[in-house]
């Protein structure tokens, strides 16, 4: 994948790291349970568990005991994780832009934006 290679060339982590970090970042101070991250990213549970371990080892996320269920953990992004996310986005965003711009006509880009809006909001305008 071109974006994956671009991230690697810039000395940045793999795309799957971005996927997890952005979802945890969006959750803010409430964090996310691991199953919620799995639902949002579609990463297989066993891969996600190892990935979160790596992110924690790199101090990009931290685990916090869930107040509702003492057996579970919330995953929260750290300042370091937010910084990595900020460094990854320009490379990732550029790759998305290049892929869309090179493959679609301007009116198709607008159509795609409308379809994505429907998917993310659930509205049927």
């Amino acid at each position: 994948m071109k974006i994956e290679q671009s991230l690697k060339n810039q000395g940045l982590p793999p795309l799957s790291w971005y996927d997890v970090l952005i979802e945890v970042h969006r959750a803010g101070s409430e964090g996310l349970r691991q199953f919620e991250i799995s639902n949002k990213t579609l990463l297989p549970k066993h891969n996600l568990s190892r990935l979160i371990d790596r992110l924690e080892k790199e101090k990009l996320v931290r685990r916090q005991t869930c107040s509702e269920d003492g057996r579970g953990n919330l995953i929260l992004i750290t300042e370091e994780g937010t910084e990595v996310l900020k460094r990854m986005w320009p490379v990732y965003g550029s790759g998305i832009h290049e892929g869309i711009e090179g493959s679609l006509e301007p009116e198709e880009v607008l159509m795609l934006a409308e379809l994505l809006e429907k998917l993310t909001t659930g509205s049927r305008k």
Side-chain angles (χ1 to χ4, degrees):
M1 174 181 252
K2 188 175 180 182
I3 294 173
E4 192 79 55
Q5 188 60 49
S6 294
L7 288 168
K8 186 176 181 178
N9 292 345
Q10 295 291 322
L12 295 167
L15 194 52
S16 58
W17 288 36
Y18 182 89
D19 292 341
V20 171
L21 290 172
I22 192 66
E23 293 303 336
V24 176
H25 176 75
R26 287 176 178 155
S29 62
E30 294 184 21
L32 289 174
R33 299 280 299 266
Q34 189 166 318
F35 77 88
E36 293 172 311
I37 297 170
S38 179
N39 291 343
K40 292 176 180 290
T41 62
L42 304 176
L43 293 169
K45 190 175 179 176
H46 64 280
N47 289 353
L48 180 59
S49 182
R50 288 194 308 256
L51 176 53
I52 290 172
D53 287 344
R54 283 189 299 246
L55 292 170
E56 186 176 38
K57 183 179 177 186
E58 296 292 325
K59 298 183 179 7
L60 303 180
V61 300
R62 65 181 176 86
R63 286 182 167 97
Q64 175 180 300
T65 303
C66 182
S67 60
E68 296 115 31
D69 176 5
R71 298 170 297 170
N73 290 309
L74 291 171
I75 310 301
L76 299 136
I77 194 164
T78 64
E79 286 183 37
E80 293 91 341
T82 300
E83 288 305 312
V84 167
L85 196 58
K86 288 178 182 177
R87 289 195 323 266
M88 291 179 79
W89 172 246
V91 177
Y92 187 20
S94 176
I96 292 170
H97 181 74
E98 288 173 18
I100 290 173
E101 188 177 77
S103 302
L104 300 176
E105 297 296 326
E107 61 274 3
E108 292 172 319
V109 172
L110 291 174
M111 185 184 305
L112 177 59
E114 290 173 6
L115 292 171
L116 290 171
E117 177 69 21
K118 281 185 180 182
L119 287 173
T120 57
T121 63
S123 69
R124 295 181 141 249
K125 293 181 183 178

